[in-house]
Amino acid sequence: MLAEAASSIVGLPAEPYAFMARAIGDHTLSYFLPELVVATAIVLVLLVDCSDKLRKPAMLLGLAAMGLCAPILLVLAKWGTALFIYPDWGHLAQANEHYKQVGYVDVAGSSMLAFDGFANFFKVFILASGLFTLGMIHYDKSLPRKSMGELLVLVLGSVLGMMLLGSATNLLMIYLSIELMSLASFILVAFKRTDRKGTEGALKYMLFGAVSSGVMIYGISLLYGMAGTLDIAQMGQRLSQVHDPLAIGMALIMVIVGFGYKMSSVPTHFWAPDAYEGAPTPITAFLSVASKAAGFAGFIRFMDAMAFQSTGNALPIINWVSLVAVIGALTMTVGNLTAIWQNNVKRMLAYSSVAHAGYLLIGVAAVAVGGEMGGTAGKRIADLGASATAFYLIAYCVMNFGAFAVVMAVANDSGREDMGAFEGLAKRNMGLAVMMAILLLSLVGIPPTFGFLGKAKLFLAGLEAANAGYPIMAGLLVIAALNTAVSCYYYFRIMRAMFIDPGKESETSRPLVVSNTGWALVGGSAILTVAFFVAGSLFSQPTDDATMVRREPKPALEAKGDHAGHDHGHHSGGGGK
Amino acid sequence: MLLTLTIFTPLVFALICLFVRDLRTVKMLTLTGTLLTFLLSLGLLVSLGDRGSQTSLAQECEQNGKIGSLLSDLQGNKETRNDSYTQNLARERDIMLTASQSEYASSLHYVEFVPWIKSFNVNYFLAVDGLQIILVVLTTFLCLVSLGAAWNMDKALDHHTHKPRYTGMRAFFILYLILEMGIIGVFCAMDYFLFYVFWEVVLLPMYFLVGIWGGPRRIYAAIKFFIYTLVGSLLMFIAMLYYYLSTDKGAGGTFNVVALTELLPQHFATATTAGALCFLGLFIAFAVKVPSWPFHTWLPDAHVEAPTPISMLLAGILLKMGGYGLFRFSYMFMPQQAFDMSTMVLLLGTISIVYGAYCALGQTDFKRMVAYSSVSHMGYVLLGMAAMTKLGLIGASFQMINHGVSSPMMFALVGVIYERAHHRDLNRFGGIANQMPKYAGMALVGFFASLGLPGLNGFISEALVFFGAFQSKIGNAGDGSWWLVLTSVRFWTVICTLGIVLTAAYLLWGYQRVFYGKMKDPHYKEFKDLNGTEWATLIPLAIFCVVLGVFPQLGIKYLDGPMRVMQNNMARHVPEFARLIEADPVPAGKTNDAPVAEVK
């Protein structure tokens, strides 16, 4: 198997790498420009906030919005290109030569960040959800206007951390970006200082965060001790030569805990409902979409590096497929079953976001299957899984932001977020209720909505993986289908409250007024969920691009005998298998 | 274009209604919309009967028709010439032109083919054959007729509070029109993905129509209906994606129903676990809708709680979506599995017939009795399907049409008496015939059509099913142990006749309890006989009951072709089945020669 992989690497199939061959600028720094712009925006917002004349909420918001729009354009300008930064293995000169020959666009000696389709996708995604968050901040009445500057700085800081996590390929970088986004979001959750729930949520969030990042950094240190490197691709390769599955397995699990915390997957999901309920609604939406997406990006990249490297290895380090599938099944089941009992709509949506993390893990499991299979077929399935995850994330972003915007519209009116506030909503504002109905349908995954297409793509990737000889994936899909039916029950409780329950006469006679910003957010997202369904092919290309440029090990160079002898022996052993 | 027009006319009127505040105008708009749709579909039906005046799918593919011209357009474009969508399209076109599919493809008309989601190879592909068009007409007809039962709903008063019982009727009519659109779409879609979309679109308006305007337990009934169907559809969804993957030969799979009908039987030619699971998933999805025992428990709740016009649509059309699905998808896609599991279908059909009738016998609620009678009557569809003989299949499909006329009539009859008595307890009625003779007369037609009296429509289809099932050779072991008789269709057909007896019992007993005997409540003296809208609802249904009973060929001539396609498809892919029907007492060739357009 390894021999096959090796030969395919020597020849480097043109197809997956072809898109990188397009010319790029002279300097690799141009790839880092989006992050730099966000950082500049942070500084600008801080400076403007210092001036009494300039610090108006609109001004600050505008500045922050520009600080998010410009990077989107910058990333889009680089769309379809990729920068391959080759890790420093001591053969840099040769590596340069080799990879330039086979069509990589640029080679540099550092190995902290990757700039490929995968990273590009997540950057745009995170920036766009940041923009959506700004819109919601503008709409939220309950946020203190005076401290707008601080709020925006924290949001932008968190965005920066997430962007870095999307492209980090070095465990230290991964850890730092997780810390950057987490520290900012702890404060964001507790942004309303006097709000007890917010403070409680933030405290839980932080305690969980502290513990899980502690566990993660411990795992990282163990891995570093065994592999002698922090670069994930290189680490994957070196770990396959360490014959200590217990230690590696434990260390890997520790690192996974850190990612699981960001993805809010079971069993590290306990912070999510409290933090989501306590946080200001725009922040809840932001965390449940962008932060989760970043966690997925980091995890997929990490797992992909590890799982692909274990191909052909005599000692499978960890069974990624079963691990991810079991976590996914648990996450969606726990999230959905707990959501049934919630009476607070925001908390219900928080649990539902845990459940959606479970659905997303179907795509991740497909990536794991691809990684374990290796070869061209494996690459295809892994790419399918990655693009399905990306596709579903877009759908989830639109529908989840919309649903939270409706919660905010109701809360702006009555100050309540429980089911009672939704009773008789159809009588008070038919338009809002219909929009919410569309968004809820999308969350269940019923056509004609984008959520349905997203689920179709996830299921397709999962089935493809199951078809490749992984029955556990079929089991995961059946559980996901049953979970969809369960989720229908609680989403339809909202539907029922809005349309069927009569509600209190005193409440329902008073129409609910939604401002223009509110309509833009709610109506925009509801219409987009339908429009993206009708224009079903719109995102297929961008999400197909959102696959990784894999940094394979260098058997080409090893074969020349440049590398240590014991590697060679081990590999030929693996190849003969 | 014609099919699109038929599907979306109701939607257009629904959108117009959104901006109209006045309820009366909304009603008139709904009436206009449903009437237009009905006339349109009727036009399609009649001109389809005119043989040769319409181009079929096969001709479209061959000449410069839909897919052909689309393909040449795409191939002319340099960028798309070699992409997987175009490759797949070429494959689909080739399949539709193969000799084995030409019979199927030439039975499909009014083709519309537009690319939709190219990355999934999904197309907006509509076409209808005889079975589909007749179901479309049934839909538009019932939507028009049921409107009569909905017409005065806003004037109905709650007999306790004397306030209007139903509020927000504007939304009712809007949802009603959206529902109609969804159902017509289900019957017209020839792309499986599109079918699934319409299938789910039907769910939501139905949830609201039952949940908002239903009886006391409406919320329970609505969510139960929704979740039952959703679980079924998700199973279908997984099977659908599996089909897509199994037809993937590098350029992506296909959702084209005609192409799937060619490719899937080959793929599932040998019995595999995946094949069995797919068949079961699909079967459960449709059996929930039919509904077959043991998936029927949503039906009594939903039918009883729904307001009268919605009960009529539920019984009249929604159940047919299940039967249609079994005909078009389960049996066409996986003939081998269908043949292997025909005993299961047979048993479920038998249990549905007998058990449904037995349950109906035990009901004291008039509407619940009618609801259980639906379970029983739809069991005949399964029986005919399991028999797989020419007569059985035609009987089964014709039973769907007949039940689609007689069962709504029964619900309309229940609605009439409920409006006056405010209860439906069979034991508290009595002597209504004296007070409301015209109503009693109409009820007689409905009850006897449902019972299967010769001369009325129910008789024809049930008799055809019984003849067909009794002829069936499936499971007839020539030699072997005596208990092998338990696997034969013939044996279970005999058991099914028990259903006829039970049906007669509950219907006659029910009629007796409502219309004859002493008046149990003095209030009944105040009841007025049928009013205008009630006449408007009942008369067309009664006419159809009689006309289809006397001239069954009016319906059968459309069903003959599609059923032949289905039987031939199975014979082609299942050798054992081909051997069985060679000795069929009614040779396939005999009825085959009857042209589609022949009117007797």
Side-chain angles (χ1 to χ4, degrees):
Chain A
M1 219 173 158
L2 190 76
E4 179 196 305
S7 71
S8 77
I9 288 160
V10 176
L12 270 173
E15 183 235 325
Y17 305 101
F19 67 93
M20 303 181 309
R22 282 176 228 161
I24 58 157
D26 304 283
H27 208 277
T28 50
L29 192 65
S30 65
Y31 281 89
F32 198 60
L33 225 69
E35 282 88 345
L36 287 180
V37 172
V38 176
T40 316
I42 295 177
V43 176
L44 278 180
V45 171
L46 269 180
L47 284 177
V48 169
D49 200 31
C50 290
S51 146
D52 278 339
K53 266 189 190 166
L54 292 174
R55 55 179 295 187
K56 295 190 180 78
M59 172 83 186
L60 293 165
L61 269 170
L63 203 56
M66 290 204 331
L68 293 176
C69 282
I72 294 185
L73 296 178
L74 286 171
V75 178
L76 288 181
K78 293 279 186 196
W79 195 272
T81 65
L83 176 63
F84 186 83
I85 304 181
Y86 196 69
D88 184 3
W89 284 1
H91 301 285
L92 189 60
Q94 271 171 300
N96 250 324
E97 204 52 43
H98 173 70
Y99 280 96
K100 274 201 170 148
Q101 265 175 13
V102 295
Y104 281 108
V105 281
D106 207 341
V107 179
S110 119
S111 60
M112 283 285 184
L113 298 166
F115 298 94
D116 49 15
F118 189 71
N120 283 345
F121 171 81
F122 276 96
K123 276 179 204 166
V124 174
F125 179 84
I126 286 160
L127 289 164
S129 44
L131 272 178
F132 217 125
T133 313
L134 293 189
M136 286 179 77
I137 288 174
H138 179 57
Y139 182 46
D140 195 340
K141 279 186 193 164
S142 66
L143 280 172
R145 295 272 138 182
K146 272 188 181 169
S147 38
M148 184 63 87
E150 297 153 44
L151 183 69
L152 293 176
V153 166
L154 290 168
V155 170
L156 288 177
S158 195
V159 164
L160 183 60
M162 294 168 191
M163 286 170 73
L164 289 174
L165 184 55
S167 54
T169 59
N170 181 297
L171 276 177
L172 196 62
M173 193 68 215
I174 288 176
Y175 179 74
L176 284 177
S177 46
I178 286 187
E179 285 299 289
L180 177 54
M181 61 191 261
S182 298
L183 287 176
S185 43
F186 297 152
I187 312 171
L188 283 174
V189 170
F191 202 78
K192 285 189 238 170
R193 258 162 301 183
T194 48
D195 185 38
R196 299 188 70 148
K197 268 191 175 171
T199 321
E200 183 197 332
L203 196 63
K204 282 188 187 168
Y205 189 22
M206 202 193 76
L207 284 176
F208 260 95
V211 171
S212 62
S213 72
V215 171
M216 188 182 190
I217 195 83
Y218 186 47
I220 291 177
S221 70
L222 285 180
L223 287 178
Y224 180 67
M226 283 180 281
T229 177
L230 282 169
D231 180 86
I232 51 171
Q234 213 174 352
M235 174 179 278
Q237 207 220 357
R238 293 204 186 159
L239 283 181
S240 62
Q241 290 146 26
V242 179
H243 295 269
D244 194 350
L246 184 70
I248 297 176
M250 273 179 57
L252 283 178
I253 298 265
M254 284 179 188
V255 177
I256 293 170
V257 167
F259 286 117
Y261 159 72
K262 279 284 116 185
M263 295 187 293
S264 71
S265 63
V266 172
T268 42
H269 69 287
F270 289 102
W271 60 274
D274 289 310
Y276 287 178
E277 189 191 348
T281 312
I283 303 306
T284 308
F286 178 61
L287 290 183
S288 68
V289 174
S291 169
K292 184 170 292 184
F296 271 95
F299 180 61
I300 293 178
R301 198 183 278 282
F302 176 72
M303 184 195 71
D304 190 71
M306 295 294 157
F308 254 99
Q309 301 305 329
S310 65
T311 312
N313 181 13
L315 268 177
I317 300 171
I318 193 166
N319 190 343
W320 289 94
V321 178
S322 313
L323 184 79
V324 176
V326 169
I327 291 181
L330 281 176
T331 305
M332 57 181 92
T333 312
V334 169
N336 278 325
L337 289 183
T338 337
I340 290 181
W341 309 108
Q342 305 307 323
N343 208 33
N344 182 311
V345 174
K346 203 163 145 191
R347 202 176 168 82
M348 181 186 279
L349 286 175
Y351 275 109
S352 102
S353 100
V354 173
H356 282 279
Y359 301 137
L360 283 164
L361 281 168
I362 299 175
V364 182
V367 177
V369 167
E372 221 176 271
M373 287 167 62
T376 329
K379 164 129 179 72
R380 199 176 138 259
I381 290 182
D383 287 353
L384 262 180
S387 72
T389 313
F391 196 83
Y392 194 75
L393 272 172
I394 300 177
Y396 177 64
C397 172
V398 177
M399 63 202 185
N400 209 40
F401 265 113
F404 276 117
V406 174
V407 173
M408 215 156 65
V410 173
N412 271 348
D413 173 75
S414 61
R416 287 159 62 204
E417 287 155 355
D418 59 325
M419 200 61 92
F422 280 79
E423 273 174 20
L425 187 64
K427 286 177 200 151
R428 303 181 57 196
N429 191 328
M430 192 48 137
L432 192 67
V434 170
M435 297 293 170
M436 183 62 165
I438 295 173
L439 293 164
L440 288 174
L441 278 186
S442 185
L443 283 166
V444 186
I446 293 176
T449 57
F450 198 38
F452 164 69
L453 271 191
K455 237 175 206 170
K457 205 147 185 179
L458 273 183
F459 272 57
L460 206 58
L463 260 181
E464 190 99 41
N467 227 9
Y470 287 84
I472 192 168
M473 292 297 292
L476 181 61
L477 290 185
V478 170
I479 291 175
L482 291 177
N483 264 294
T484 304
V486 172
S487 74
C488 160
Y489 179 78
Y490 64 80
Y491 288 127
F492 269 66
R493 275 182 63 202
I494 306 178
M495 207 80 106
R496 174 188 144 183
M498 291 192 303
F499 291 100
I500 301 180
D501 286 346
K504 287 196 196 98
E505 194 89 7
S506 59
E507 298 249 326
T508 52
S509 55
R510 192 170 48 86
L512 194 154
V513 184
V514 181
S515 73
N516 286 340
T517 323
W519 276 126
L521 291 169
V522 175
S525 46
I527 290 167
L528 282 186
T529 48
V530 177
F532 287 165
F533 169 78
V534 176
S537 295
L538 197 60
F539 286 109
S540 55
Q541 195 53 47
T543 53
D544 284 348
D545 288 345
T547 48
M548 260 159 291
V549 176
R550 286 197 182 73
R551 302 190 303 155
E552 320 266 1
K554 315 174 288 179
L557 297 177
E558 277 165 25
K560 288 177 192 161
D562 284 347
H563 215 270
H566 70 270
D567 283 1
H568 194 75
H570 176 78
H571 274 239
S572 51
K577 198 162 62 103
Chain B
M1 201 56 214
L2 286 169
L3 286 181
T4 304
L5 212 58
T6 319
I7 295 174
F8 291 108
T9 304
L11 185 67
V12 170
F13 276 87
L15 290 179
I16 298 174
C17 288
L18 268 182
F19 300 100
V20 179
R21 292 251 159 249
D22 177 41
L23 180 61
R24 226 192 129 63
T25 325
V26 169
K27 274 187 196 170
M28 291 314 292
L29 280 169
T30 313
L31 181 65
T32 323
T34 45
L35 188 67
L36 264 180
T37 321
F38 173 63
L39 292 177
L40 210 59
S41 61
L42 200 65
L44 294 184
L45 180 85
V46 171
S47 78
L48 189 68
D50 264 341
R51 198 183 192 191
S53 68
Q54 296 294 330
T55 43
S56 72
L57 175 63
Q59 288 159 320
E60 296 271 16
C61 289
E62 216 163 337
Q63 300 155 7
N64 51 354
K66 300 280 184 294
I67 299 175
S69 69
L70 182 67
L71 198 61
S72 53
D73 282 356
L74 285 175
Q75 282 175 336
N77 188 342
K78 253 187 190 170
E79 266 183 37
T80 57
R81 190 177 298 162
N82 286 319
D83 72 350
S84 60
Y85 177 75
T86 321
Q87 283 173 24
N88 191 63
L89 201 63
R91 176 172 70 149
E92 284 177 13
R93 202 251 328 249
D94 292 344
I95 287 171
M96 290 195 263
L97 285 173
T98 53
S100 51
Q101 287 306 316
S102 61
E103 185 186 30
Y104 190 13
S106 36
S107 71
L108 290 163
H109 293 82
Y110 307 115
V111 183
E112 282 169 43
F113 198 100
V114 182
W116 181 21
I117 307 176
K118 288 188 183 175
S119 55
F120 277 138
N121 291 337
V122 174
N123 300 305
Y124 178 79
F125 178 22
L126 304 175
V128 285
D129 67 0
L131 174 66
Q132 288 164 293
I133 189 68
I134 207 164
L135 285 168
V136 169
V137 173
L138 181 71
T139 308
T140 54
F141 169 67
L142 281 181
C143 283
L144 182 61
V145 168
S146 305
L147 212 53
W151 200 255
N152 287 329
M153 265 172 79
D154 56 314
K155 292 180 192 123
L157 296 179
D158 191 288
H159 66 288
H160 291 303
T161 57
H162 296 286
K163 280 182 188 164
R165 185 137 45 96
Y166 304 106
T167 51
M169 285 304 287
R170 210 165 62 88
F172 179 94
F173 288 108
I174 294 172
L175 288 168
Y176 188 90
L177 287 168
I178 296 176
L179 180 73
E180 181 177 9
M181 173 206 77
I183 303 171
I184 301 174
V186 163
F187 291 135
C188 291
M190 283 305 277
D191 186 282
Y192 201 5
F193 195 90
L194 189 64
F195 168 83
Y196 185 82
V197 170
F198 280 122
W199 177 273
E200 298 267 305
V201 165
V202 172
L203 271 184
L204 198 70
M206 200 39 117
Y207 169 81
F208 284 125
L209 287 168
V210 176
I212 300 180
W213 292 279
R217 287 170 68 242
R218 58 182 186 270
I219 292 167
Y220 169 76
I223 196 72
K224 189 174 180 183
F225 160 78
F226 198 97
I227 289 183
Y228 261 68
T229 321
L230 191 68
V231 171
S233 358
L234 286 166
L235 293 174
M236 172 161 78
F237 180 56
I238 295 182
M240 178 175 105
L241 294 181
Y242 190 80
Y243 293 157
Y244 180 80
L245 288 182
S246 17
T247 51
D248 190 347
K249 296 277 183 290
T254 177
F255 287 116
N256 184 322
V257 172
V258 183
L260 285 174
T261 310
E262 172 71 13
L263 295 171
L264 287 175
Q266 295 165 7
H267 187 266
F268 292 110
T270 49
T272 55
T273 321
L277 287 177
C278 276
F279 183 81
L280 279 179
L282 215 57
F283 182 80
I284 290 174
F286 296 132
V288 167
K289 267 271 150 74
V290 166
S292 150
W293 181 90
F295 310 108
H296 69 283
T297 58
W298 64 270
L299 179 131
D301 289 312
H303 279 48
V304 170
E305 296 308 321
T308 306
I310 301 309
S311 300
M312 291 169 70
L313 291 189
L314 260 174
I317 321 170
L318 258 77
L319 308 191
K320 277 68 205 175
M321 283 165 53
Y324 167 72
L326 286 173
F327 275 117
R328 178 95 327 154
F329 301 104
S330 293
Y331 272 65
M332 292 289 261
F333 287 171
M334 314 184 77
Q336 181 66 50
Q337 278 71 17
F339 183 76
D340 291 344
M341 296 195 203
S342 61
T343 313
M344 178 191 77
V345 181
L346 173 69
L347 283 179
L348 291 183
T350 312
I351 295 175
S352 297
I353 292 172
V354 179
Y355 176 81
Y358 186 70
C359 283
L361 195 58
Q363 302 306 320
T364 52
D365 185 327
F366 197 173
K367 209 168 178 183
R368 228 178 161 77
M369 182 191 91
V370 180
Y372 273 107
S373 85
S374 283
V375 178
S376 174
H377 282 126
M378 289 305 282
Y380 292 104
V381 178
L382 291 183
L383 178 64
M385 215 176 278
M388 280 306 289
T389 53
K390 182 111 194 121
L391 283 182
L393 286 174
I394 290 180
S397 50
F398 195 41
Q399 169 77 355
M400 298 211 296
I401 313 300
N402 291 336
H403 180 255
V405 179
S406 65
S407 162
M409 184 160 180
M410 291 294 281
F411 278 111
L413 290 167
V414 176
V416 169
I417 192 78
Y418 182 65
E419 278 308 305
R420 291 164 174 75
H422 305 295
H423 73 83
R424 296 183 301 255
D425 192 339
L426 285 169
N427 292 331
R428 283 164 61 195
F429 288 122
I432 301 287
N434 283 335
Q435 189 59 34
M436 302 168 70
K438 290 169 190 156
Y439 173 57
M442 290 311 287
L444 209 59
V445 180
F447 272 73
F448 281 115
S450 185
L451 187 150
L453 189 80
L456 296 172
N457 58 356
F459 168 74
I460 309 286
S461 50
E462 279 173 27
L464 280 176
V465 168
F466 274 119
F467 293 153
F470 203 71
Q471 287 170 351
S472 176
K473 295 262 186 350
I474 295 181
N476 281 3
D479 45 350
S481 314
W482 62 270
W483 53 265
L484 278 181
V485 74
L486 291 180
T487 64
S488 80
V489 176
R490 191 170 284 188
F491 174 78
W492 292 105
T493 311
V494 175
I495 302 285
C496 284
T497 48
L498 196 62
I500 297 266
V501 180
L502 288 171
T503 305
Y506 70 74
L507 282 172
L508 292 177
W509 191 32
Y511 191 84
Q512 180 191 338
R513 283 188 285 176
V514 175
F515 292 99
Y516 299 147
K518 268 193 198 140
M519 221 173 256
K520 293 205 178 120
D521 193 324
H523 285 301
Y524 298 165
K525 288 273 181 215
E526 298 156 19
F527 288 0
K528 294 196 183 89
D529 214 335
L530 298 175
N531 63 27
T533 53
E534 285 159 356
W535 277 120
T537 311
L538 291 171
I539 283 287
L541 288 165
I543 289 176
F544 262 84
C545 284
V546 177
V547 168
L548 285 178
V550 182
F551 303 108
Q553 192 61 22
L554 283 179
I556 290 178
K557 72 172 180 184
Y558 291 100
L559 302 171
D560 185 61
M563 293 305 124
R564 190 174 65 226
V565 170
M566 185 173 150
Q567 209 190 19
N568 289 351
N569 183 54
M570 189 169 225
R572 197 159 63 83
H573 292 288
V574 187
E576 304 119 89
F577 180 70
R579 276 198 293 281
L580 281 180
I581 56 166
E582 266 169 28
D584 198 325
V586 181
K590 194 172 165 189
T591 36
N592 276 0
D593 298 337
V596 180
E598 194 181 303
V599 184
K600 288 189 178 165

